[in-house]
Amino acid sequence: MKHRHIVLALESALGRANVASNQRKTEHYRSGWRSGGGDALCVLFPQNLLQYWSALKICVEHGCIIIMQAANTGLTEGSTPSGSEYDRPVVVINTLAMDDLVLLGNGEQVLSFPGTTLHKLEKTLKPIKRAPHSVIGSSCLGASVVGGVANNSGGALVKRGPAYTELALFARVNQSGKLELINHLGIELGTTPEQILQNLENGKFSKALEIAGDLSRKQASASDYISKVKDVDADTPSRFNADPSKLYEASGCAGKLAVFALRLDTFAVPSKEQAFYIGTNDPVVLNRIRRTMLTDFTCVPEVGEYMHRDIYSVSEAYGKDTFLSVKHFGTDAMPRLFAVKGRIDAVLNKLSFLPKYLTDRVMQGIAKCFPKHLPHRMDDFHQRFEHHLILKMSDGGIDEARAFLPEFFAQANNEGSFFECNEQEASAAFLHRFAAAGAAMRYHTLHGKKLGDILALDIALKRNEENWVEHLSPNIASQIEKSLYYGHFFCHVFHQDYILKKGADARAVKKAMLEVLDQRGAKYPAEHNVGHLYEAEAPLQAFYRALDPTNTFNPGVGKMSKHKRNCACCL
C-alpha cells in the first residue's frame, strides 16, 4: 500500500482497466513460460504508443524498475520479475495491445510496433509472397517481433541468422536518470516525443524504402550470415546471443530499452520447395552432408533440422496434442489457445484437491484417443536410424539435392538412407520437430513426482566441430534420466534437454556441463538469451550497462546486480 500513489498515477494515465495490481490477476504475467517468476507492484497494458510513453515517464519519475514484456514466450525467465530481491517497486509493461504493422515500399521492409507477433507478420506478408526472419516454431506460439530482436533469436532458417536490425525507435534512461526517446528508424516523424509517437501511430510518415538522415548505411537484417554459416572451417560458432557483432541498440537489448518500433527486412518466398528426410546411425555422415551442402552447393538449404531418436519418441508420445492442434486448427488459433491454457493453469494449480497441471493431463489423455499421426516412412526411419535430418531445399537447390543424395548414399562409407517427402510427410516432419520442445516439458510435467529437475541448454558449437554428438562423463550421465537432442544442424545450434533423476543436484550438473562446453569452445545460450538463468559474458554485461546506465530496465538479467546504479563511475 505504501506505493499506492504510483498505481493511482498509472491508472490516471492509462485507465483503471489497463492497470492490474491484484496478485491473482497478475500472476500469469509475473510467471515465466517454463520457469521463474517474482513480485511486481502492477502490470500495465498500454493501448497505444502515447499511453506507453506516459507509463514510462511515471515509472521513471517514481524510481520504479521497469520490466518489458510482450508475449512472454521466452525460455530463460527474461521477461518477468525474478524473485523479490529488488530495491525498488517493480512494474511490468505488457506491450501486446500495440500490434500495428506497416509495410514499407512493396513489402521489402516492415515497421513493427512493440506487440506485433511473428505470426501476424508472417500472415501479413504471405499474400505478397514475402517472408519474415523466422517462419517456424515460435511464430505459432505468439512470440513478438520485438522480443525476437531484443533476444537475438535465431530460428530454423539456415540463411537468416539472428533477428537483427540497426533501425529502431526506443526509449532509454540516460546516465542522468532522464527518460529520452531516440528515433533511429531512418524515418522523419517530428521532433518532440509526443509528435513522433502521434505521427507514427497515425501513419503520418513516408512509407518509402529510403532511409533518411545519416542512417543510410544501417542494416535491417543480419545480411552477413550466409557467408558466416558457409565458413565451415571457422573455429567459432556461427551465431550466439553474446556475439558482439550483433549487439546494437535494440538488437540484443534483452529489455534494457523500451522499444516502440523496429524496421526490418523481409525476404522473397522461393517459387518452389522440397523436403527430404535423412536417417543414419553414423553422425559422421551428417557431418559430410553439412559440409558438402554449405561449401559445394550453389543454393544453401532453407532448413536443416536435426532430431535424435530419443526426442523423436518423446515428441511422438507427448507432443501429439500440439501436432494435432496445429494440423487441424491452424496456427491462427495457437496463440490464443496457449494464453487460455496459461490462465487456466494459474487458477487450477492453486486448488489443492486437483492434480497439478490438469490441463496437460487432459490434453495428453485426449491425444491418446486419436490414431497414429506420423507417416509410415518416418516411423520406419525411427526404427532404423538414431540420427534424423529434415532438409528443405528451394528452387535450384532441389535439383542439387536430388543429384547429390542418391550418389552420396551409394558410397559404402556413407551409412544411412533418405526419401523425398510428399506434401503430407513434409508437413508432418516439421510439425513433429516443432512439437519437440513442448513434448520434453510435457514428459517432465506428467512424470515430475518420479523425476528431478529439467535442465534445458541451447548451445552453439564451433563451425568446424566434427564431434558434435555429446558424450557425457559417467559422473554426469549417472544423474540423468533422459538426454534429448534436437536443433538447427547447419548452423550447429543444438537444443539439449536433460531430465534429471530424482535427487540429482541440478546446479552441480549444469555447472559440470557448462565447464565441458567451455573446453569445447562452444557458446551458450545460442538463441534464447541469458535471462535470469545464465551469467552474461563480460562484453554482454558492458553492452547492458551502456544501454541502461542506471539499471532501471530488467535489472538482474544475466545474473547481474538488481540494484540501482547512480553515477557514471558505475559503468
Side-chain angles (χ1 to χ4, degrees):
M1 292 300 295
K2 67 178 180 178
H3 299 303
R4 182 62 184 165
H5 63 289
I6 302 176
V7 176
L8 290 173
L10 291 165
E11 288 178 346
S12 177
L14 277 68
R16 294 187 65 181
N18 299 320
V19 180
S21 55
N22 178 283
Q23 293 299 290
R24 175 171 289 186
K25 290 182 179 180
T26 63
E27 182 177 3
H28 172 70
Y29 304 96
R30 295 184 290 104
S31 303
W33 182 261
R34 270 186 174 173
S35 62
D39 297 337
L41 174 65
C42 57
V43 179
L44 310 182
F45 304 92
Q47 301 298 297
N48 56 59
L49 299 182
L50 282 174
Q51 283 192 358
Y52 184 14
W53 175 250
S54 296
L56 290 171
K57 287 198 295 184
I58 292 169
C59 289
V60 172
E61 179 186 347
H62 289 88
C64 296
I65 283 169
I66 302 168
I67 295 180
M68 301 308 310
Q69 180 187 98
N72 191 20
T73 57
L75 301 180
T76 56
E77 307 177 10
S79 56
T80 57
S82 179
S84 57
E85 307 84 17
Y86 294 100
D87 60 340
R88 294 153 286 167
V90 176
V91 175
V92 177
I93 302 182
N94 184 283
T95 64
L96 275 183
M98 300 170 287
D99 65 347
D100 286 355
L101 182 67
V102 180
L103 298 181
L104 302 179
N106 293 315
E108 298 94 338
Q109 288 187 338
V110 294
L111 202 60
S112 171
F113 279 38
T116 307
T117 63
L118 282 168
H119 176 71
K120 180 173 182 176
L121 175 56
E122 184 177 346
K123 190 175 179 179
T124 302
L125 292 174
K126 189 174 183 179
I128 60 172
K129 297 184 178 180
R130 304 289 296 181
H133 165 268
S134 177
V135 294
I136 187 173
S138 56
S139 57
C140 297
L141 297 177
S144 71
V145 175
V146 168
V149 171
N151 290 300
N152 283 142
S153 298
L157 299 178
V158 178
K159 302 174 182 178
R160 306 283 165 83
Y164 181 76
T165 185
E166 296 169 358
L167 300 166
L169 173 67
F170 58 90
R172 69 188 295 265
V173 175
N174 63 26
Q175 196 167 299
S176 302
K178 303 296 183 183
L179 182 70
E180 55 187 12
L181 185 70
I182 298 175
N183 180 11
H184 284 170
L185 286 172
I187 298 172
E188 293 292 348
L189 290 167
T191 53
T192 69
E194 290 76 14
Q195 186 180 40
I196 289 170
L197 298 176
Q198 280 184 329
N199 286 335
L200 183 60
E201 192 98 58
N202 297 330
K204 294 182 178 179
F205 56 89
S206 170
K207 313 301 190 300
L209 287 177
E210 287 77 13
I211 298 175
D214 58 356
L215 300 172
S216 58
R217 299 196 178 189
K218 298 299 182 183
Q219 301 295 310
S221 64
S223 57
D224 62 341
Y225 188 69
I226 291 181
S227 61
K228 270 193 170 185
V229 78
K230 285 170 66 71
D231 187 3
V232 295
D233 293 315
D235 199 36
T236 56
S238 58
R239 58 178 170 91
F240 57 99
N241 287 138
D243 181 356
S245 72
K246 292 297 177 285
L247 300 176
Y248 188 92
E249 296 180 342
S251 296
C253 71
K256 285 291 187 180
L257 299 172
V259 179
F260 282 77
L262 294 176
R263 185 171 178 170
L264 294 155
D265 289 333
T266 67
F267 304 87
V269 173
S271 59
K272 55 182 178 178
E273 295 179 326
Q274 178 60 51
F276 301 82
Y277 202 97
I278 298 168
T280 182
N281 291 305
D282 183 359
V284 173
V285 169
L286 294 190
N287 257 357
R288 292 175 185 143
I289 291 173
R290 173 179 174 267
R291 290 185 67 90
T292 300
M293 288 189 168
L294 288 179
T295 56
D296 296 347
F297 275 34
T298 301
C299 301
V300 173
E302 293 291 324
V303 180
E305 290 295 286
Y306 169 76
M307 293 184 77
H308 185 269
R309 174 187 280 154
D310 290 344
I311 188 61
Y312 185 108
S313 300
V314 168
S315 188
E316 181 179 22
Y318 295 90
K320 187 176 180 180
D321 61 305
T322 298
F323 181 105
L324 294 174
S325 296
V326 175
K327 180 178 179 179
H328 294 294
F329 299 125
T331 55
D332 282 4
M334 294 305 289
R336 183 170 295 178
L337 288 174
F338 275 91
V340 169
K341 178 185 179 298
R343 290 182 178 89
I344 292 173
D345 284 339
V347 174
L348 296 186
N349 285 344
K350 288 185 172 63
L351 303 178
S352 59
F353 58 88
L354 291 177
K356 296 293 185 185
Y357 305 107
L358 182 60
T359 58
D360 287 278
R361 300 178 191 279
V362 170
M363 291 162 67
Q364 185 69 18
I366 293 173
K368 286 182 178 180
C369 299
F370 284 82
K372 197 169 182 63
H373 62 294
L374 296 178
H376 169 73
R377 288 202 289 183
M378 283 177 59
D379 278 344
D380 176 59
F381 268 44
H382 175 224
Q383 298 300 320
R384 293 168 57 192
F385 301 118
E386 181 179 2
H387 305 286
H388 298 230
L389 179 64
I390 310 165
L391 177 69
K392 183 187 286 184
M393 305 298 296
S394 64
D395 297 335
I398 298 173
D399 287 338
E400 284 188 290
R402 283 173 175 161
F404 167 72
L405 290 172
E407 182 180 334
F408 177 82
F409 281 110
Q411 298 173 26
N413 63 331
N414 291 327
E415 184 269 346
S417 186
F418 81 98
F419 62 86
E420 188 169 325
C421 300
N422 60 34
E423 188 175 339
Q424 178 195 9
E425 289 167 334
S427 175
F430 286 108
L431 268 180
H432 187 53
R433 163 63 185 89
F434 164 65
M441 287 297 298
R442 171 68 60 77
Y443 177 89
H444 182 262
T445 296
L446 298 186
H447 301 282
K449 290 184 178 179
K450 300 177 183 179
L451 301 168
D453 291 340
I454 184 169
L455 177 59
L457 301 180
D458 65 298
I459 66 167
L461 297 179
K462 297 184 296 184
R463 283 167 280 177
N464 64 355
E465 178 66 78
E466 295 186 0
N467 299 315
W468 57 274
V469 174
E470 183 175 62
H471 298 285
L472 298 172
S473 69
N475 181 49
I476 296 176
S478 64
Q479 301 183 70
I480 297 174
E481 182 74 23
K482 279 187 180 294
S483 298
L484 305 172
Y485 302 101
Y486 50 103
H488 316 306
F489 188 68
F490 287 85
C491 299
H492 253 24
V493 168
F494 294 90
H495 301 289
Q496 302 180 173
D497 293 344
Y498 307 93
I499 298 173
L500 305 185
K501 292 181 178 179
K502 193 77 171 177
D505 186 336
R507 288 188 178 183
V509 173
K510 182 177 181 179
K511 183 175 183 293
M513 285 183 168
L514 296 185
E515 288 174 352
V516 173
L517 291 173
D518 289 338
Q519 293 167 10
R520 297 176 67 189
K523 291 290 187 179
Y524 51 84
E527 58 184 10
H528 290 160
N529 219 338
V530 290
H532 288 280
L533 298 184
Y534 294 89
E535 182 176 352
E537 295 184 7
L540 189 56
Q541 290 194 28
F543 177 64
Y544 291 160
R545 291 191 184 100
L547 291 181
D548 182 25
T550 62
N551 209 21
T552 295
F553 290 94
N554 210 2
V557 69
K559 296 190 178 295
M560 296 170 67
S561 171
K562 293 182 178 179
H563 289 186
K564 185 176 182 180
R565 287 192 295 270
N566 296 299
C567 58
C569 63
C570 295
L571 295 177

